[in-house]
Amino acid sequence: MTLFNQYYPPNSTAFNGLVNDQVKSALDEDIGTGDLTALLVPASQVVTATIIVRETAIICGIPWVNACFNQVDAHVKINWQVAEGERAQANQVLCEISGPARSLLTSERCALNFLQTLSATATETSKYVVAITGTQAQILDTRKTIPNLRLAQKYAVTVGGGYNQRLALYDGILIKENHIAAAGSIGAVMAQAFALNSGKSIQIEVENLQQLQEALKAGATSILLDNFGTALLCEAVNLNKQSGKRAVLEASGGITLENVREIALTGIDRISIGSITKNIQAIDLSMRVKTLAR
């Protein structure tokens, strides 16, 4: 089970609350005091519309789309022709929507924003997951996410087949270079982390093999190897084996689709990638309206 699902099980009150809160914020931001352009359409006008994807993608964000339309107008009906997490092909119809024209037009942009963004993260994650098929490694996200969309993007990573490194600062201890510098040493900062008795995971980031040895000596059971080349990763894996495989090893930094499999084949346990949430390109989607009789 991913960390996201531990906190927000699908269809749970927590999950639905998260979706509704994010959608409300997005609609408030977009609509403000009212959609002036929608007033150009007769209030009695009823329409149907389709959402079409223009490129191959893993579809993600259906709960957010549903909430966008339903929060604007509970009378809007949506018939999905794909399931969450399904791969759709270019020019495929994803869903048909029917209801008052004003409601559909007001909801359109927010709904597409969520769908194109979350589908982008799920699609990019899936590419990395496929690239390391057959290895022992897992693909993880980072905290490098779009502000206020952190949890939605973490969810999208899981839809794409990835895992969550941690949800946020409250969800685990990750000791980085500046924490080590402030505390004085790897040994000192690890001792302080253990003394917290937080019940959360403790991970420490190291930048070379000497720091790796210090972290292992200090009792680290989860170690992030920052910007290690593949040769150094192989040495790190061997050092960990010599210590009795004390720690879960995670590679991070400079990882691309071109080198991720090579990195996975070093025997590393986890690979965290910031680009799957911060460098994504929105999936190309469009909504097309068909007018019905008034």
Side-chain angles (χ1 to χ4, degrees):
M1 178 183 290
T2 65
L3 283 174
F4 180 89
N5 286 344
Q6 289 179 29
Y7 283 94
Y8 302 96
N11 300 316
S12 66
T13 299
F15 179 85
N16 293 333
L18 166 66
V19 171
N20 287 328
D21 287 348
Q22 289 186 333
V23 166
K24 182 181 185 303
S25 178
L27 290 172
D28 287 345
E29 175 184 63
D30 198 32
I31 299 171
T33 57
D35 181 357
L36 296 177
T37 315
L39 297 178
L40 305 179
V41 178
S44 60
Q45 184 68 62
V46 174
V47 299
T48 62
T50 54
I51 294 179
I52 302 167
V53 62
R54 301 301 185 185
E55 58 185 302
T56 300
I58 302 294
I59 301 305
C60 179
I62 288 176
W64 282 261
V65 174
N66 290 342
C68 282
F69 286 104
N70 290 332
Q71 283 192 27
V72 170
D73 189 336
H75 296 98
V76 172
K77 304 299 181 185
I78 308 175
N79 179 28
W80 286 95
Q81 298 178 23
V82 296
E84 186 82 335
E86 183 178 335
R87 184 179 296 275
Q89 303 303 316
N91 299 314
Q92 183 174 339
V93 173
L94 303 181
C95 66
E96 184 175 85
I97 313 163
S98 61
R102 288 185 179 181
S103 300
L104 268 62
L105 294 170
T106 297
S107 310
E108 174 186 0
R109 187 68 265 158
C110 281
L112 294 185
N113 283 349
F114 278 112
L115 192 61
Q116 68 184 17
T117 301
L118 300 187
S119 294
T121 289
T123 300
E124 193 65 13
T125 301
S126 178
K127 292 177 184 177
Y128 281 93
V129 170
V130 169
I132 66 165
T133 299
T135 72
Q136 71 177 28
Q138 296 177 335
I139 298 297
L140 285 79
D141 53 27
T142 70
R143 285 170 49 240
K144 297 173 181 177
T145 54
I146 298 172
N148 299 320
L149 283 183
R150 162 80 56 81
L151 293 174
Q153 284 195 289
K154 292 280 188 178
Y155 162 79
V157 166
T158 69
V159 171
Y163 293 83
N164 306 130
Q165 211 267 10
R166 57 177 175 165
L167 294 189
L169 293 173
Y170 60 77
D171 191 44
I173 296 171
L174 174 48
I175 303 164
K176 299 176 75 70
E177 176 186 7
N178 287 335
H179 299 101
I180 296 170
S185 69
I186 287 176
V189 77
M190 285 297 299
Q192 292 176 40
F194 289 135
L196 287 178
N197 289 317
S198 66
K200 300 293 185 180
S201 63
I202 300 173
Q203 185 178 47
I204 187 166
E205 178 185 86
V206 301
E207 298 178 335
N208 52 56
L209 294 177
Q210 180 181 342
Q211 288 187 339
L212 171 61
Q213 290 176 315
E214 290 177 28
L216 289 169
K217 183 178 179 180
T221 57
S222 181
I223 302 176
L224 182 66
L225 308 173
D226 184 40
N227 284 303
F228 277 47
T230 52
L232 275 179
L233 285 173
C234 288
E235 290 189 56
V237 169
N238 286 331
L239 272 174
N240 193 41
K241 286 179 180 177
Q242 291 168 14
S243 72
K245 288 191 176 181
R246 293 182 193 171
V248 171
L249 298 183
E250 179 177 328
S252 184
I255 297 166
T256 66
L257 277 171
E258 287 68 37
N259 66 16
V260 69
R261 185 166 184 83
E262 182 182 6
I263 289 169
L265 289 172
T266 64
I268 210 78
D269 301 296
R270 312 193 322 179
I271 303 172
S272 53
I273 305 169
S275 64
I276 59 178
T277 50
K278 74 182 180 76
N279 292 344
I280 55 169
Q281 180 172 330
I283 297 300
D284 189 3
L285 301 167
S286 62
M287 189 175 91
R288 290 291 179 263
V289 170
K290 177 182 177 183
T291 304
L292 297 182
R294 296 181 188 174

